[in-house]
Amino acid sequence: MLNMVIFGPPGAGKGTQSEKLIERYGFVHISTGDLFRWHTKNDTPLGKRVKEIMNSGALVPDDITIAMLKEELDKNPLAKGFLFDGFPRTVAQAEALDHFMQSRGTAIHRVVALDVTEDEVRTRIAKRKAIENRADDEEEKLNKRITEYFSKTLHVLPFYKTDGRLTNIQGIGSIDSIFESICAVVGTT
Ligand code: ADP
């Protein structure tokens, strides 16, 4: 079993594709966005620390995020394959992830980046807002999240590109055709 990262701007379809990947391959799914939302919803000490940051659309500092990720990995000592969604978002997080995988005797084998333009992302989120009310989809916060992606997170890609782990996939098209493109990457050895 392999470990993979799914990568893309807010609204790229990471959540949708992750669900399908879990169903097909049985990955243990680790979404740092979902984990942070769980902590804020349940008002845990960590939730209290990150609530304002998240609501502003900014990235949570690396030390907090990496510690939470490590805890989550430690909860799954026997997991054969992880799907990371929303992590890593900075080069420091990518380095920490490689380190954690190495210490488990494994690695991050594949990184799939869903390529979606900023215009498409904004259109999709506007539609999503109409059905699902996510606090961080409000205009100002959304702008901040998109800026954080293009100013920080995008810089993680060269980290994976240099050693051949990265595959870019066109994130515009039908859900199923995008899914099959991702599966072709997961299936290659
Ligand atoms: P999006 O839909 O914008 O991709 P997520 O649902 O993955 O967002 O995450 C929501 C929020 O949680 C982010 O805006 C950020 O504040 C925080 N967050 C999630 N993952 C990370 C991470 N790896 N590093 C820092 N902050 C994170």
Side-chain angles (χ1 to χ4, degrees):
M1 190 73 165
L2 52 75
N3 301 303
M4 68 177 285
V5 172
I6 187 161
F7 208 89
K14 297 189 296 285
T16 308
Q17 296 297 336
S18 294
E19 270 176 35
K20 293 174 77 71
L21 286 163
I22 293 155
E23 202 188 322
R24 182 169 294 187
Y25 298 102
F27 286 115
V28 172
H29 183 218
I30 298 197
S31 158
T32 44
D34 286 351
L35 289 168
F36 281 133
R37 273 186 289 278
W38 184 88
H39 280 283
T40 54
K41 199 176 145 225
N42 290 285
D43 215 21
T44 66
L46 174 62
K48 287 188 174 76
R49 282 177 81 187
V50 303
K51 191 172 186 164
E52 267 184 42
I53 305 171
M54 274 186 83
N55 281 341
S56 75
L59 291 184
V60 174
D62 281 337
D63 55 343
I64 300 179
T65 308
I66 291 169
M68 179 181 73
L69 192 275
K70 177 157 194 322
E71 203 184 297
E72 211 50 33
L73 289 175
D74 291 345
K75 280 186 203 161
N76 291 283
L78 301 175
K80 291 257 182 328
F82 286 103
L83 170 62
F84 296 94
D85 165 358
F87 186 97
R89 267 170 151 97
T90 63
V91 172
Q93 292 180 12
E95 286 168 350
L97 184 58
D98 272 350
H99 174 76
F100 294 149
M101 289 292 114
Q102 222 167 30
S103 64
R104 295 171 70 106
T106 184
I108 293 295
H109 303 95
R110 304 268 187 282
V111 178
V112 166
L114 293 176
D115 287 337
V116 180
T117 62
E118 194 169 330
D119 277 356
E120 173 73 12
V121 160
R122 288 182 186 280
T123 311
R124 289 182 186 183
I125 294 182
K127 281 190 199 151
R128 178 165 88 187
K129 259 164 65 176
I131 19 180
E132 184 194 335
N133 193 14
R134 268 176 58 168
D136 57 358
D137 276 350
E138 284 162 32
E139 194 80 29
E140 202 182 312
K141 295 167 192 171
L142 176 60
N143 279 332
K144 179 72 180 166
R145 278 159 64 212
I146 292 175
T147 309
E148 290 285 71
Y149 180 81
F150 288 99
S151 68
K152 293 183 186 158
T153 306
L154 212 52
H155 297 299
V156 177
L157 293 182
F159 179 86
Y160 292 114
K161 192 167 187 165
T162 46
D163 56 21
R165 285 183 285 178
L166 176 70
T167 306
N168 287 81
I169 287 186
Q170 174 66 262
I172 298 179
S174 78
I175 289 175
D176 287 338
S177 68
I178 296 168
F179 179 58
E180 291 310 325
S181 306
I182 300 176
C183 291
V185 175
V186 177
T188 55
T189 49

